[in-house]
Amino acid sequence: MVAWRCLYDRYAPLVLRFASALGVPAEEREDAVQDIFIAVFRSLKHFRGEAQLSTWIYRIAARHAIRLGRRRRARETMRVAMMKEKPPIVTDPSERSTQLATLDRMLGKLPPKKRAVLVLFEIEGLSAKEISDVVGCPENTVWSRLHHARSEMVKAARRMAS
Amino acid sequence: MKWLDEPQDEAERLVREGLDLAKQRLGDELMHRRVWAKVAETAETPEPRSTRRWLWTSAAATLLAAAGLFAYVRIYRVTSLPSTPTVATNTPPSTAPLPVAPAGTAVGSETEIVPLESERGPGNVIRAREGERLRVALGGGATAELEEKSAMTWDSQHRPTIQRGIARLAVPHQPPGWRFSVTAGPYVVTVVGTKFEVRVSNRTVGVDVTEGVVEVWRNSHSTRLAAGESWHGPLYPDEAASTSESASSVSSAAPERPQPLPAAAKPLSSATARSLQEAETALQAGDAAKAIEILSRTAQGTGPAAENAAYELGHITRYNLNRPRQAVALWDKYRNRFPNGLLRTETDLSIVETLSQMGEVQAALAEANTFLTHHPNSERRLDVQRLAERLRAQAATEAK
């Protein structure tokens, strides 16, 4: 249990940051981190050391976050269909939170696969090789997704800025 | 060199700064410890075997079939009855009847609002207009049903705040040591897991408990309410106290139970109240510097307004300006000036949390130990105890 605790202490902040950047909403983040670590501990016996432990954890986290995102989008579609009007537009006085909220909105416009690559590269600092291990695609695909994700992000930012 | 390290325009700068900020989004200590408690508990239990899964699947299928049958019987009964006015479809099930909207008000369809974490902050107001009922997700599974003409917002500590009208809250059971709080006027209602209603009118605040137990706090005094009990108190207790001293005419706001109010404090002068309002408005508009300027002036005075302003200065510095060291210094100044202040517990707690987040292990540990000695009955005792344990372990590792 001590080893598990060390592993948790080391990777929980990373997993939380990753889940946030992949669009897991705040109220679901705690549960998401919990589920990811339960999955990590239960699958630890299958970890063969072929990739770095962090890469392996990111892989589990990415799968979980994408699955959550799919469920959330389905719920959102239902909600929008049932709503008469949009919720009020709200602003946050904290500059830091506003910038993060803006980033989340921009990331939210990216397709999940491109988003995962951009987040892993730009926020988590993984190499293209490591990302290809996490998302399960060739390294060249990682570079191409990253290129598209970057240009879509800048376009989204320009639309927001204007 | 990083991507967009030299941004060409405002949009590129926005992206780069957002990405840099996102790297710092690591969650707080308390959250990580809370999740660990759940992970450790679950990870220790054996993984369900396939036979057990099969049993569960069968049980779930049986339950589903029973639920389907039950729903069918109910729908059949409802359609065979004469038509009745529409009631919100997703009102939480409850054994006790929930209070209904005043007679003659046509309750329209219910709209669900799920604000993002960043939207659950001061300055964001959610209003239910006439004939409208809103269901607002408050995070952690808690929901608030806002009746028509009601409004809610969040305070500086990101607690939901009922500004006016009626809100019915349903709060799932909270993890050990954690409590959900909602504010209404000068009161804080804390719960472990329950259903209750908060009403804020022009002059009074009322709480009706449907299920579970809640506590209504004002400063360091509290009243505990069980299911079926009600409480109400004046929205402006200081004002009510001064009025009752002179005219004894606030019988309409008389509490049904002993009130959790401390001895009457000096009422705020209109100029002070205006200044505090201005500071709040500035903060809501994102002008932290102006809010600090106003609060610094107010803090130079005396009484509860000065005390509140002295505490808020630290809070804004910490959370709006993101200057933790300076915030600790301001809170320390508060403690020296108001050693027995009404916000002393909150201040001590803020210092412990901030020092811990800053990585000042020894200082945070010393503060946590002092907190546990000075506030043995605090509702946050358990959290601080866990934090102290963690800090002790960290200090021991560092010593090696």
Side-chain angles (χ1 to χ4, degrees):
Chain A
M1 208 43 143
V2 175
W4 282 10
R5 178 65 201 251
C6 290
L7 194 136
Y8 172 83
D9 284 346
R10 186 160 173 201
Y11 292 106
L14 271 64
V15 167
L16 179 87
R17 180 176 63 195
F18 186 45
S20 312
L22 286 189
V24 176
E27 62 271 22
E28 290 176 26
R29 260 172 232 161
E30 250 184 68
D31 285 343
V33 174
Q34 183 188 337
D35 290 347
I36 290 163
F37 273 94
I38 288 168
V40 165
F41 292 143
R42 287 197 167 148
S43 318
L44 213 48
K45 54 181 179 266
H46 304 301
F47 175 63
R48 294 189 298 273
E50 287 166 357
Q52 276 190 44
L53 184 62
S54 58
T55 311
W56 182 71
I57 293 174
Y58 275 126
R59 197 185 302 157
I60 294 176
R63 224 178 290 147
H64 193 80
I66 289 170
R67 196 167 51 233
L68 274 177
R70 216 176 291 143
R71 270 188 232 154
R72 199 171 43 255
R73 275 192 297 280
R75 279 203 310 271
E76 185 69 12
T77 312
M78 281 290 288
R79 195 171 70 83
V80 170
M82 289 163 75
M83 270 172 61
K84 282 186 173 171
E85 57 183 65
K86 286 183 182 173
I89 295 166
V90 285
T91 53
D92 195 302
S94 149
E95 171 70 9
R96 187 186 153 89
S97 302
T98 310
Q99 280 177 312
L100 278 176
T102 310
L103 179 82
D104 285 340
R105 275 206 299 278
M106 290 189 281
L107 286 171
K109 295 195 188 307
L110 296 179
K113 285 178 183 173
K114 287 182 195 167
R115 179 178 187 159
V117 169
L118 184 95
V119 165
L120 285 165
F121 193 87
E122 295 294 347
I123 299 175
E124 301 303 322
L126 266 63
S127 67
K129 169 81 186 68
E130 287 166 329
I131 297 172
S132 77
D133 281 345
V134 173
V135 298
C137 70
E139 219 174 306
N140 282 343
T141 313
V142 170
W143 286 117
S144 114
R145 280 183 194 170
L146 182 65
H147 171 76
H148 288 293
R150 279 173 167 175
S151 59
E152 282 175 39
M153 274 284 278
V154 174
K155 269 185 211 162
R158 290 215 170 100
R159 274 197 301 274
M160 279 182 192
S162 65
Chain B
M1 188 174 152
K2 286 188 291 185
W3 174 54
L4 300 183
D5 231 2
E6 288 169 6
Q8 300 297 309
D9 56 21
E10 181 60 19
E12 291 188 357
R13 187 192 63 83
L14 206 68
V15 174
R16 186 66 259 164
E17 284 182 4
L19 290 169
D20 288 339
L21 268 179
K23 287 180 189 171
Q24 296 160 25
R25 187 157 57 177
L26 295 170
D28 63 277
E29 288 275 324
L30 292 175
M31 191 214 116
H32 286 307
R33 276 179 292 112
R34 193 163 63 238
V35 175
W36 169 251
K38 290 189 228 163
V39 170
E41 194 183 311
T42 320
E44 272 181 341
T45 58
E47 203 174 344
R49 290 164 59 178
S50 56
T51 46
R52 237 180 261 170
R53 273 191 206 142
W54 184 84
L55 271 175
W56 279 113
T57 314
S58 319
T62 315
L63 275 174
L64 207 66
L69 190 68
F70 178 72
Y72 174 76
V73 171
R74 275 196 70 117
I75 289 164
Y76 178 75
R77 280 184 57 193
V78 169
T79 49
S80 61
L81 289 170
S83 64
T84 49
T86 318
V87 181
T89 49
N90 45 356
T91 304
S94 161
T95 46
L98 284 171
V100 292
T105 55
V107 176
S109 63
E110 189 176 270
T111 306
E112 190 170 339
I113 294 180
V114 187
L116 296 172
E117 186 194 17
S118 57
E119 293 167 348
R120 292 201 295 260
N124 304 326
V125 184
I126 293 180
R127 288 187 184 86
R129 289 166 304 184
E130 195 164 352
E132 189 180 36
R133 180 189 278 175
L134 300 178
R135 187 181 166 89
V136 186
L138 302 174
T143 55
E145 273 184 28
L146 285 186
E147 279 298 336
E148 61 169 355
K149 296 184 200 164
S150 301
M152 70 170 290
T153 181
W154 283 265
D155 68 8
S156 53
Q157 291 173 36
H158 295 260
R159 281 186 299 222
T161 301
I162 311 305
Q163 282 193 323
R164 64 158 189 276
I166 300 173
R168 273 183 218 117
L169 292 107
V171 182
H173 197 78
Q174 302 290 294
W178 281 86
R179 289 185 172 207
F180 174 91
S181 304
V182 57
T183 59
Y187 307 101
V188 178
V189 187
T190 64
V191 299
V192 175
T194 185
K195 284 176 187 164
F196 62 104
E197 182 179 287
V198 178
R199 287 169 278 111
V200 181
S201 70
N202 286 341
R203 302 197 63 81
T204 61
V205 173
V207 179
D208 297 326
V209 183
T210 312
E211 274 178 33
V213 177
V214 309
E215 281 173 356
V216 184
W217 286 79
R218 180 168 177 252
N219 300 329
S220 54
H221 296 249
S222 73
T223 289
R224 187 170 270 245
L225 303 173
E229 289 186 325
S230 299
W231 167 92
H232 68 253
L235 182 57
Y236 304 106
D238 299 336
E239 216 174 72
S242 64
T243 316
S244 64
E245 271 170 25
S246 58
S248 308
S249 62
V250 256
S251 55
S252 63
E256 288 157 13
R257 285 167 59 87
Q259 278 210 49
L261 302 180
K266 200 172 137 193
L268 299 181
S269 73
S270 57
T272 312
R274 212 169 33 246
S275 297
L276 291 175
Q277 185 62 44
E278 275 172 27
E280 203 180 326
T281 311
L283 201 59
Q284 285 172 3
D287 195 347
K290 189 178 175 192
I292 284 182
E293 188 194 317
I294 297 168
L295 287 169
S296 301
R297 272 203 309 271
T298 313
Q300 282 166 9
T302 54
E307 189 195 331
N308 188 45
Y311 172 79
E312 283 298 326
L313 281 172
H315 200 275
I316 295 171
T317 307
R318 170 71 186 95
Y319 295 102
N320 294 70
L321 301 181
N322 200 21
R323 292 181 195 150
R325 201 169 295 280
Q326 207 178 327
V328 170
L330 284 164
W331 281 322
D332 215 25
K333 207 167 150 188
Y334 165 95
R335 291 199 296 200
N336 289 332
R337 206 175 146 204
F338 305 98
N340 300 312
L342 298 169
L343 297 167
R344 177 65 199 258
T345 313
E346 199 58 43
T347 307
D348 288 350
L349 193 63
S350 303
I351 291 178
V352 175
E353 283 180 344
T354 306
L355 286 172
S356 158
Q357 284 157 3
M358 286 161 64
E360 303 271 353
V361 179
Q362 292 298 348
L365 186 57
E367 284 289 343
N369 288 334
T370 313
F371 181 93
L372 293 170
T373 315
H374 288 175
H375 311 289
N377 300 319
S378 164
E379 59 181 81
R380 300 292 298 275
R381 186 184 164 80
L382 210 64
D383 298 327
V384 177
Q385 235 164 10
R386 288 194 197 127
L387 178 61
E389 279 164 25
R390 169 85 181 272
L391 290 166
R392 259 192 292 277
Q394 214 172 322
T397 317
E398 278 174 15
K400 283 176 196 168

